[in-house]
Amino acid sequence: DLTVAFATRDRPEALGRAIASVLASAAPPARIVVVDNAPSDEATAELVAERHGDDPRIVYVREDRAGLATAHNAALPHVTTPFVAFTDDDVVVDRWWTARITSAFAAAEDVACVTGLIFPAELRTPEQWWIERAAGFAKGFDRRIVDPAVEAGRDPLFPYAAGTYGSGANMAFATDALRARGGFDPALGAGSGSLGGDDLAAIHAVLAAGHRLVYEPAAVVFHHHHRDYDALRRQVYGYGAGLTAYLTSLVVARPATAWHMARRAAGGARHALAPSSPRNERRPATHRELARVERIGMLTGPWRYVRTHRRLAAR
């Protein structure tokens, strides 16, 4: 019932490790789609051919237009299963990940999205500790069934704080629901001008359409965080830009959303910026520069999205 899709760029060895972990699952998926996104060489194509060329379950796709959302969209035509899971090339999945993802879709009626627990694969450097504390990849150890009809009356930021429900390294969708919304917004995502936000937009779309989401902590992946400060700094800047780019995309797609968002602006600002907010209180005091870098990224997100969206629309 499940296809696993990887979007990758110039990290063949990490990808090989990730694919091997999926194939070692207790319930291997029906298909694995590898999208080689704007590669600089043939290393990824060669690795897939050498290690998995005889395995009909593994499909290699080359997509020369850069961007994570574009790569995810390139995988969709090759999905023939009811569910499709997306993860990163720098993860190792738990043996039971595929089984838990699939079973979570049966946890309630009309589940269109399942997200899971993201653990660090290692915590060797201060930078890895910082991003683990700050990014909030782990959403807890209790299963949550998010019903829009209930959540809308309980959470004033619903459905805009999509990051509280999951992250792109561990998310799955009902294939029909994902295709019904046109897949992912190509003006968002790492590698695009917006630098991120494609996962947030996809999760938001599911909830805004009235579908349920299940956060399943038993569906575990282990993520290799950046070890060095410069890479972490770029990542944090991208998170900030991607967040506000995603919010801007909602207004561009439906201008009436601006009024709805404006009424929640004060609460959203507290959530994003206040040191005591649930989003920020877990962050360590070290590397305060990173908080400033993220806020600078947030300031650039709207114009990044508008510029990228217009460029793609003009093609």
Side-chain angles (χ1 to χ4, degrees):
D1 291 336
L2 183 70
T3 296
V4 174
F6 289 99
T8 186
R9 185 177 190 273
D10 294 346
R11 293 199 287 196
E13 289 307 316
L15 174 68
R17 178 182 61 203
I19 293 175
S21 70
V22 173
L23 291 175
S25 298
R31 176 170 286 187
I32 297 174
V33 181
V34 176
V35 181
D36 198 1
N37 189 213
S40 63
D41 55 36
E42 301 300 317
T44 297
E46 292 170 358
L47 178 138
V48 173
E50 290 172 5
R51 297 188 186 180
H52 308 291
D54 296 330
D55 192 335
R57 296 172 297 175
I58 299 180
V59 178
Y60 171 86
V61 179
R62 177 167 176 146
E63 173 53 73
D64 288 323
R65 295 171 297 173
L68 185 57
T70 299
H72 285 164
N73 287 338
L76 285 179
H78 304 276
V79 177
T80 59
T81 53
F83 311 116
V84 54
F86 297 89
T87 188
D88 293 344
D89 58 8
D90 54 358
V91 308
V92 171
V93 308
D94 178 72
R95 173 174 167 77
W96 293 99
W97 178 66
T98 55
R100 302 307 185 198
I101 286 284
T102 305
S103 64
F105 279 100
E109 294 292 327
D110 193 26
V111 175
C113 180
V114 171
T115 62
L117 181 61
I118 303 173
F119 264 145
E122 62 178 20
L123 291 173
R124 295 185 178 183
T125 69
E127 287 73 21
Q128 289 176 322
W129 277 101
W130 195 95
I131 197 63
E132 178 61 23
R133 289 281 301 278
F137 291 125
K139 312 300 179 183
F141 297 99
D142 296 317
R143 173 188 275 186
R144 296 176 61 195
I145 299 176
V146 181
D147 184 341
V150 175
E151 205 72 12
R154 182 167 55 192
D155 182 358
L157 296 181
F158 181 86
Y160 304 115
T164 62
Y165 305 115
S167 301
N170 192 355
M171 63 181 183
F173 297 90
T175 306
D176 288 346
L178 186 58
R179 285 184 173 141
R181 67 173 295 267
F184 296 86
D185 185 343
L188 294 170
S192 75
S194 297
L195 304 181
D198 60 313
D199 53 344
L200 302 178
I203 292 171
H204 169 273
V206 165
L207 297 171
H211 301 295
R212 289 184 172 92
L213 175 150
V214 175
Y215 169 68
E216 176 53 83
V220 181
V221 304
F222 299 90
H223 184 264
H224 287 264
H225 301 337
H226 291 302
R227 292 181 177 182
D228 64 277
Y229 186 77
D230 288 342
L232 174 59
R233 195 176 187 278
R234 292 192 296 271
Q235 181 181 21
V236 169
Y237 180 89
Y239 283 164
L243 172 61
T244 53
Y246 140 67
L247 294 173
T248 303
S249 75
L250 304 182
V251 177
V252 170
R254 190 176 175 215
T257 304
W259 171 244
H260 192 256
M261 292 174 60
R263 289 184 294 168
R264 290 157 174 77
R270 287 194 298 270
H271 176 75
L273 303 175
S276 60
S277 74
R279 180 178 182 271
N280 295 321
E281 64 180 357
R282 62 177 175 264
R283 297 187 169 196
T286 56
H287 294 321
R288 288 176 179 167
E289 182 206 12
L290 293 174
R292 293 194 294 272
V293 167
E294 182 184 45
R295 290 169 185 173
I296 293 171
M298 292 169 68
L299 291 174
T300 69
W303 71 262
R304 282 181 172 276
Y305 178 80
V306 171
R307 181 184 64 177
T308 305
H309 178 75
R310 286 178 174 173
R311 175 172 56 82
L312 293 175
R315 286 182 175 177

